[in-house]
Amino acid sequence: MVTGACAPDSARAPELATWPDPDSTVAWQSWGHAAFDSARSRDVPVLLYVSGPGCGGLFAGDEGVAAWNAETRFLPVRIDPERQPHVARRYAPAGCPSISVLDSSGREVVRATDIPADNVTRLLTRIHHHRRQDPSRLRVPPPPAAVRRHRLSAASVHAAVVSDYDERFGGFGGPHKFPEPQVIAFLQAWEGRRAEPEAGRMARRSLDALLASPLWMPRGVLSYSHTPDWTTPRREMSGAAQAGLLRVLAASDSSSHRKAAGTLFEILRRDWYDEDRGVFRTRRLRASDGRWWSDPTVYSGDNLLLIRALLGTGAALDRQAAAGETAAAAGGFLLRECLDADGRVRRDDGPEAAAGLLSDQMLASLAFGDLARHSGRGDFADAARKALGWADRHLWDETAGAYADAPDPAAPEAWPRRYALDDDGRRPAGQALAVEALLAAGEADRARRILEGLRYPVPPARPQASMATQLLRLEDGAEPR
């Protein structure tokens, strides 16, 4: 099961230099106030297209008609969900590619997720005609009636995870099957603190299924399978998934899992770490010809997760020196390129990077703190304090008792500040990272206030696994590390 990952990649070919952009015929504008100001001056809606490498192509065909519609009847804006995750969470929570039509203040009136490319022209034409003939048909719907709000409960999350567990194939939910390291980490914590062997069995069985599946490759772990039996993987890899799985594999009491963790540790240092730049690659895609493409953009969040994963597993895997050397180099790159003097963290090293996002700020506080303890370097300790301090000044709301997802002004005026965007995705939830960072800084009262104050429109379930892990540890009097 594990030795297959150690075998040479016989199909390895030279990497693809660039990933083709099938939607480049549209003159896309950047997300921000300027785009909405332009839409108001032209009296057209904003067409928001959420797509990224390997997830797009909706405007590539139709002899340019869809592209013409986008440019002449709308104000076309495109975002990559990896580079603007706070925008994608609001307008494309079900994934990409996704198209949304927004009024000039940012209110969403139409959304189409994973729409076939052949239907895009028809959709845009109908929206244009409705707007001309009867604008009321495209008015923003009224807000939903008030619903009961639920408190975070580790027991509620545990019950949902048990209900979602796939007894036949391992893993959770469907029809797509994701590795979900946050859920596995929660089960490991539940087993340790509740002495419940069944939680550990589900965690180990899920890891066994993943390691025996085509998702486990010599280059790392693929992002997900299109089917619940793990046999039809999407040819995509993320640094966040590698980091999460490294930690849960190393924390398992199974010798085969710890062996797999050692293998993954070496894969990350050999294939994901770019020695020339001293930082990790964090997004990879496989083209139809078998060649792989590595995104040249440096994403701070995934790098910070990988730094924490290496430092958190190095001693257990007898690779402490290697972990410290690689993590320190990547941390040094992020200090230079992605952290400003005030402690604000840039999402990536690109020219139009989002900055000050909650998850990135908290990951920086945690990862630089880990680096400071491991290396004794004062610049890392200063960076950890600055990142948390910036979040306290710009994201913390004393009245709400929680952090906002992004700083102001980060959106059109229709956006209210959001505090409960705490669902796990590829990465742990921002509020969960905030709780962990506050505990590391000795602020247990504020951490507890977040955990006890948040309310959910539905009972907390799998998407709140990382929040529940923090709550579970705090309830038992053990502060998370």
Side-chain angles (χ1 to χ4, degrees):
M1 175 178 64
V2 175
T3 54
C6 303
D9 187 354
S10 58
R12 185 167 294 184
E15 289 212 347
L16 195 64
T18 59
W19 191 267
D21 179 7
D23 299 301
S24 60
T25 56
V26 179
W28 300 105
Q29 295 197 27
S30 299
W31 174 265
H33 287 287
F36 287 88
D37 291 343
S38 179
R40 275 190 289 271
S41 67
R42 287 179 49 192
D43 190 27
V44 294
V46 170
L47 178 67
L48 177 63
Y49 182 36
V50 181
S51 69
C55 181
L58 297 189
F59 294 86
D62 208 8
E63 298 182 350
V65 178
W68 177 87
N69 265 283
E71 291 184 347
T72 59
R73 293 171 169 174
F74 301 85
L75 194 292
V77 174
R78 178 168 64 168
I79 67 161
D80 183 335
E82 290 298 304
R83 305 187 76 169
Q84 300 274 11
H86 58 306
V87 181
R89 278 196 290 270
R90 292 173 185 261
Y91 294 119
C96 70
S98 179
I99 294 174
S100 292
V101 176
L102 318 177
D103 69 14
S104 59
S105 66
R107 296 181 179 89
E108 187 176 45
V109 294
V110 175
R111 178 190 299 169
T113 300
D114 208 17
I115 181 175
D118 292 343
N119 294 344
V120 172
T121 295
R122 184 181 302 110
L123 172 67
L124 300 185
T125 301
R126 285 181 177 176
I127 292 171
H128 173 71
H129 288 161
H130 287 327
R131 185 170 181 269
R132 293 185 60 186
Q133 296 170 6
D134 184 6
S136 65
R137 299 180 66 178
L138 293 178
R139 286 177 183 164
V140 178
V147 297
R148 178 192 172 195
R149 295 280 172 168
H150 302 263
R151 295 183 62 177
L152 178 65
S153 162
S156 173
V157 174
H158 176 259
V161 169
V162 171
S163 177
D164 294 343
Y165 176 68
D166 185 341
E167 191 67 48
R168 181 179 181 187
F169 296 114
F172 311 91
H176 295 345
K177 192 65 67 68
F178 292 83
E180 301 200 44
Q182 281 77 243
V183 175
I184 294 174
F186 169 72
L187 288 173
Q188 290 174 334
W190 185 275
E191 180 187 30
R193 286 174 165 75
R194 296 292 185 267
E196 184 177 308
E198 180 63 15
R201 184 189 72 84
M202 288 189 291
R204 289 186 291 274
R205 172 72 178 88
S206 297
L207 290 173
D208 285 342
L210 174 65
L211 294 174
S213 78
L215 269 69
W216 179 246
M217 298 183 66
R219 290 177 180 262
V221 180
L222 294 167
S223 293
Y224 66 90
S225 169
H226 292 279
T227 53
D229 62 0
W230 305 93
T231 61
T232 54
R234 174 173 170 79
R235 298 295 174 176
E236 172 190 348
M237 294 181 175
S238 76
Q242 317 305 311
L245 283 166
L246 175 60
R247 299 194 77 159
V248 295
L249 285 167
S252 174
D253 58 7
S254 164
S255 60
S256 65
H257 294 167
R258 291 194 297 274
K259 182 178 179 181
T263 298
L264 183 54
F265 185 100
E266 295 303 325
I267 288 172
L268 291 172
R269 294 192 70 239
R270 181 188 70 231
D271 290 343
W272 287 74
Y273 181 68
D274 184 344
E275 290 191 1
D276 292 335
R277 292 193 293 173
V279 74
F280 286 98
R281 306 176 183 94
T282 57
R283 177 160 57 169
R284 290 180 147 176
L285 296 169
R286 189 175 187 178
S288 57
D289 63 3
R291 287 185 294 171
W292 286 86
W293 170 78
S294 295
D295 191 340
T297 303
V298 174
Y299 294 96
S300 57
D302 283 25
N303 261 274
L304 293 163
L305 283 170
L306 286 163
I307 287 170
R308 297 202 76 204
L310 262 63
L311 293 177
T313 62
L317 299 176
D318 197 23
R319 291 167 170 84
Q320 193 165 10
E325 178 185 357
T326 306
F333 181 99
L334 297 178
L335 272 180
R336 296 188 302 272
E337 303 295 335
C338 296
L339 187 78
D340 68 20
D342 292 330
R344 184 179 63 164
V345 180
R346 289 164 55 87
R347 177 70 183 162
D348 57 68
D349 65 342
E352 297 181 347
L357 304 186
L358 175 61
S359 61
D360 294 338
Q361 293 296 139
M362 296 306 173
L363 279 172
S365 179
L366 290 163
F368 286 128
D370 291 345
L371 283 165
R373 286 185 289 276
H374 188 276
S375 66
R377 285 175 50 175
D379 55 348
F380 287 146
D382 289 342
R385 287 191 293 269
K386 286 182 177 180
L388 181 57
W390 193 96
D392 284 343
R393 293 191 300 275
H394 297 277
L395 302 179
W396 176 257
D397 187 294
E398 179 63 25
T399 302
Y403 289 94
D405 189 51
D408 294 332
E413 63 267 21
W415 276 28
R417 272 199 155 199
R418 299 282 288 272
Y419 303 96
L421 287 175
D422 45 21
D423 291 357
D424 294 331
R426 286 186 173 180
R427 303 163 192 86
Q431 296 287 357
L433 293 167
V435 169
E436 189 176 0
L438 289 172
L439 288 169
E443 296 193 45
D445 289 342
R446 193 146 56 110
R448 185 176 290 105
R449 184 179 175 190
I450 294 174
L451 289 170
E452 295 178 352
L454 289 178
R455 297 292 185 270
Y456 301 83
V458 296
R462 269 169 49 221
Q464 288 78 44
S466 62
M467 289 289 287
T469 299
Q470 301 304 325
L471 179 61
L472 184 65
R473 291 168 174 169
L474 193 61
E475 286 176 345
D476 289 352
E479 295 187 358
R481 291 181 298 171

